[in-house]
Amino acid sequence: MVALTSSHVMRSYAYWLVVYRRTWRGTVITSLLSPVMYLAAMGVGLGSLVKGGNGTDGLTYLQFVAPGLLAATAMQIGSFESTYPVLGSFKWMGNYHAAAATPLTPSAILVGHLLWMATRALIASSVYLAIIAAFGALRTPLAILALPVSVLVGLAFAAPITAFAASRDRDSGFAALQRFIVVPMFLFSGTFFNVTQLPAVIRPIAYVTPLWHGVRLSRDLTTGQLEPGAGWLIPLHVLYLVALVVVGVVIARRVYQAKLAK
Amino acid sequence: MSVDEPEPLIHARGLVKRFGDFVAVDGIDLDVMPGEAFGFLGPNGAGKSSTMRMIGCVSPPSDGVLRILGLDPRTQGPRIRAKLGVVPQLDTLDLELTVRENLLIYGRYFGLPRAVARERGDQLLDFVQLLDRADDTVEPLSGGMKRRLTIARSLINEPQLLLLDEPTTGLDPQARHVVWDRLFRLKQQGVTLVLTTHYMDEAEQLCDRLVVMDKGRIAAEGSPRDLIERYSSRDVVELRFAIGENEVNAEKLTGLGDRMEVLPDRVLLYADDGDGCLELVHDRGVVPLSVLVRRSTLEDVFLRLTGRSLVE
């Protein structure tokens, strides 16, 4: 087995930078407009009907929902960037196969691409966080730490989904992934309301969703207010997300090896 | 190995590739020397591409010995690939990027500094006659242009060994000739070429030496001329008769030439003196609808060795 060298990873990463330089214009509108619309509609509009209190950890609704949206955006970026671009790189565009004929190993190709997905999550979250700040919904400079959390959330989705997408031959599973995993998490993992409001039987499901852990961390950091009586959960949130990244990478690595060096 | 004999760039003994129960390559021996242009011929499914992928160090051998540039692909894959150029069967270009960006990215994969990749890239674009399209996106280029770009890309690392998997399949005749011309120039510059093809004219044009593969094995090996001498006659007489009369006429021709082959549409007589053989045909009172006397080609060798039936 050949060791994974950082220079090879950066070469694989550079590919995605060049591609993005050509395509970033198409993503600008979405990444600017979408936060403004969500924060205005949910935070300000809907928020005017919501009375802050126990249900919102004592925060205004805007302060409550903004970090949730931030984490959910990282989820969406992570779960999109790891589906079509991954399958396409194997199947339609062939860029993985082109890279595999060079000194790059399947692992370097994988890790470079994951690093790119993390970068995408970072870019989108930074824009989002800046807009949240403009809405006046940040309560502490600690909020800047929500960015690494967003990257972690993005990767906690991207790594396992990369393993899934790489093992597919067609894109047929991707719509189901959106419909049955991403959208329900977006709605029920604590972004818009605390999962404690959920019926007790459903609540455990919310606790195993990676998004819930991300939303909790994100909210702790942007409000500077540890979840009441549960500050000790913070390392567990981080570990849970890290574990998902690790499992995803380990499985994806096998799939890449099998597909690019068969 | 003696001192004055150069080391082969490709050395294989008993090379095997299995996919589950299916044996794609069934124990082949090969040596390709520096500066050679070497070809793999064979019908689809003969094991050519699997062999190429093993040589390209993207597919580990299932069994046997394989050394590329004197190194072991099982452990030194990245080091070997750093010195190979690969033109895959299907272009893997980035269609949304420009011609030049495609070369720069590839140069980056090999760790070339930007300035070097840029300079070399432009030289190569000039070489494949695409310099005027350098800043255009790849998408709208013709098939032949894309193929030339893939060839330019494969040369960005100044490879010691260039692997081409069906370099001109799907191209129109003009585009094929341009590609052949460029490959011929590379050969003249001393680049070692290894290619697969099922075009006999391509093999005759480019290859110093070739192997005919069939069902995962090497059926024959030699220069195009050798192979024709060994497996065919100098000339071939092609006779066409009215539909349904091939068999009847063929019987009357028994014993003429070295060998006779009755096809659905033609009767072929293999002979060293085609014109002399045709006179004997006339002497026997056989009057074909049309006659063609031609030199044997690799195609005759190929069909003799791999059979005429379609393998799907």
Side-chain angles (χ1 to χ4, degrees):
Chain A
M1 195 84 260
V2 182
L4 187 61
T5 70
S6 60
S7 107
H8 284 189
V9 170
M10 290 321 287
R11 293 180 202 173
S12 150
Y13 177 71
Y15 167 82
W16 295 101
L17 274 182
V18 174
V19 173
Y20 192 60
R21 218 171 49 198
R22 273 225 154 245
T23 54
W24 66 274
R25 285 172 197 86
T27 67
V28 166
I29 304 287
T30 331
S31 46
L32 281 176
L33 217 56
S34 154
V36 174
M37 291 197 302
Y38 268 101
L39 289 168
M42 297 291 161
V44 181
L46 183 66
S48 68
L49 306 176
V50 179
K51 196 160 174 289
N54 276 343
T56 60
D57 302 343
L59 303 163
T60 69
Y61 191 65
L62 179 64
Q63 289 166 346
F64 178 86
V65 81
L69 290 169
L70 181 66
T73 296
M75 165 183 77
Q76 263 151 0
I77 296 278
S79 58
F80 175 79
E81 292 288 328
S82 54
T83 50
Y84 292 94
V86 168
L87 183 62
S89 294
F90 278 111
K91 219 175 144 60
W92 304 311
M93 306 175 304
N95 51 295
Y96 279 172
H97 297 286
T102 74
L104 303 194
T105 57
S107 296
I109 293 168
L110 164 68
V111 178
H113 197 172
L114 284 173
L115 206 56
W116 170 246
M117 297 178 202
T119 308
R120 282 285 291 129
L122 181 64
I123 295 170
S125 309
S126 304
V127 172
Y128 219 116
L129 193 68
I131 294 174
I132 293 174
F135 271 79
L138 299 181
R139 306 206 315 171
T140 160
L142 220 57
I144 196 80
L145 291 176
L147 291 181
V149 165
S150 287
V151 170
L152 183 58
V153 171
L155 281 177
F157 283 89
I161 295 174
T162 295
F164 166 71
S167 65
R168 304 286 299 175
D169 252 345
R170 280 173 298 145
D171 63 356
S172 52
F174 297 165
L177 180 80
Q178 276 294 320
R179 214 170 293 145
F180 300 115
I181 296 183
V182 174
V183 172
M185 277 197 213
F186 179 58
L187 293 173
F188 298 105
S189 290
T191 302
F192 298 105
F193 55 89
N194 259 328
V195 297
T196 47
Q197 316 281 331
L198 289 169
V201 272
I202 302 181
R203 228 174 285 153
I205 302 175
Y207 292 144
V208 294
T209 63
L211 183 59
W212 176 71
H213 297 270
V215 168
R216 287 300 343 173
L217 283 172
S218 183
R219 194 166 286 144
D220 291 345
L221 291 164
T222 56
T223 59
Q225 166 180 312
L226 300 186
E227 48 199 293
W232 58 273
L233 275 173
I234 287 181
L236 284 186
H237 293 317
V238 174
L239 272 177
Y240 186 76
L241 295 172
V242 169
L244 279 171
V245 179
V246 171
V247 169
V249 170
V250 168
I251 300 173
R253 195 159 171 252
R254 284 202 195 152
V255 182
Y256 275 54
Q257 189 73 31
K259 279 208 153 180
L260 294 175
K262 63 179 169 215
Chain B
M1 195 161 291
S2 70
V3 187
D4 28 46
E5 204 172 311
E7 205 184 351
L9 296 185
I10 302 173
H11 171 78
R13 289 293 176 271
L15 185 62
V16 173
K17 184 69 197 184
R18 279 186 291 266
F19 297 101
D21 289 336
F22 174 69
V23 183
V25 179
D26 193 6
I28 62 170
D29 298 343
L30 280 179
D31 281 294
V32 176
M33 305 310 278
E36 257 192 311
F38 184 88
F40 288 96
L41 255 71
N44 288 330
K48 306 183 302 280
S49 291
S50 295
T51 305
M52 284 294 255
R53 287 172 48 79
M54 286 192 278
I55 295 172
C57 301
V58 289
S59 172
S62 307
D63 211 343
V65 175
L66 181 64
R67 294 188 79 77
I68 310 293
L69 313 176
L71 302 169
D72 182 352
R74 288 182 179 91
T75 53
Q76 311 260 24
R79 248 184 90 191
I80 300 170
R81 291 198 298 271
K83 295 175 196 165
L84 299 183
V86 177
V87 175
Q89 204 174 102
L90 300 172
D91 289 322
T92 52
L93 298 165
D94 281 290
L95 301 180
E96 289 173 23
L97 301 183
T98 66
V99 166
R100 187 180 275 125
E101 280 169 334
N102 266 276
L103 292 181
L104 292 179
I105 283 181
Y106 222 62
R108 188 70 200 268
Y109 285 163
F110 285 96
L112 299 181
R114 229 187 136 64
V116 174
R118 209 181 162 80
E119 196 192 324
R120 245 186 235 174
D122 280 5
Q123 281 166 7
L124 288 169
L125 287 180
D126 191 32
F127 174 67
V128 297
Q129 296 160 305
L130 281 175
L131 195 53
D132 54 331
R133 305 298 296 265
D135 296 314
D136 296 354
T137 51
V138 172
E139 176 100 65
L141 300 187
S142 70
M145 288 174 166
K146 286 180 180 142
R147 212 62 189 141
R148 268 142 57 201
L149 176 56
T150 301
I151 290 171
R153 190 181 71 171
S154 72
L155 295 169
I156 195 86
N157 59 325
E158 299 184 331
Q160 290 184 28
L161 179 60
L162 185 60
L163 307 174
L164 304 121
D165 200 355
E166 299 188 11
T168 65
T169 296
L171 301 188
D172 63 38
Q174 285 82 359
R176 294 179 72 200
H177 280 281
V178 176
V179 169
W180 284 345
D181 170 60
R182 297 297 115 170
L183 293 179
F184 190 75
R185 281 168 201 240
L186 288 174
K187 187 179 151 183
Q188 303 265 275
Q189 290 166 20
V191 177
T192 308
L193 304 179
V194 173
L195 59 104
T196 73
T197 183
H198 36 228
Y199 295 123
M200 301 307 126
D201 46 351
E202 184 158 283
E204 282 190 274
Q205 289 249 1
L206 293 173
C207 298
D208 304 320
R209 198 157 63 87
L210 47 91
V211 291
V212 179
M213 282 189 80
D214 193 31
K215 301 182 186 81
R217 294 170 183 273
I218 290 176
E221 190 209 320
S223 71
R225 207 83 316 266
D226 281 349
L227 289 171
I228 291 168
E229 274 172 27
R230 222 179 317 150
Y231 295 97
S232 195
S233 51
R234 197 186 74 136
D235 290 347
V236 181
V237 183
E238 297 197 4
L239 306 169
R240 279 177 196 274
F241 298 98
I243 292 167
E245 289 181 11
N246 279 358
E247 297 290 342
V248 185
N249 284 297
E251 260 174 53
K252 296 184 194 160
L253 300 173
T254 317
L256 292 187
D258 305 335
R259 194 160 62 89
M260 179 166 63
E261 201 173 357
V262 185
L263 304 179
D265 62 333
R266 282 165 299 166
V267 174
L268 303 186
L269 286 170
Y270 294 88
D272 283 328
D273 173 12
D275 293 318
C277 182
L278 182 59
E279 273 176 37
L280 295 173
V281 170
H282 290 312
D283 289 350
R284 292 197 181 183
V286 173
V287 187
L289 291 179
S290 71
V291 172
L292 172 68
V293 179
R294 61 168 174 84
R295 286 298 177 100
S296 263
T297 65
L298 265 185
E299 189 144 345
D300 299 303
V301 174
F302 183 82
L303 291 173
R304 177 160 188 200
L305 288 170
T306 65
R308 289 192 185 262
S309 55
L310 275 176
V311 187
E312 307 270 21

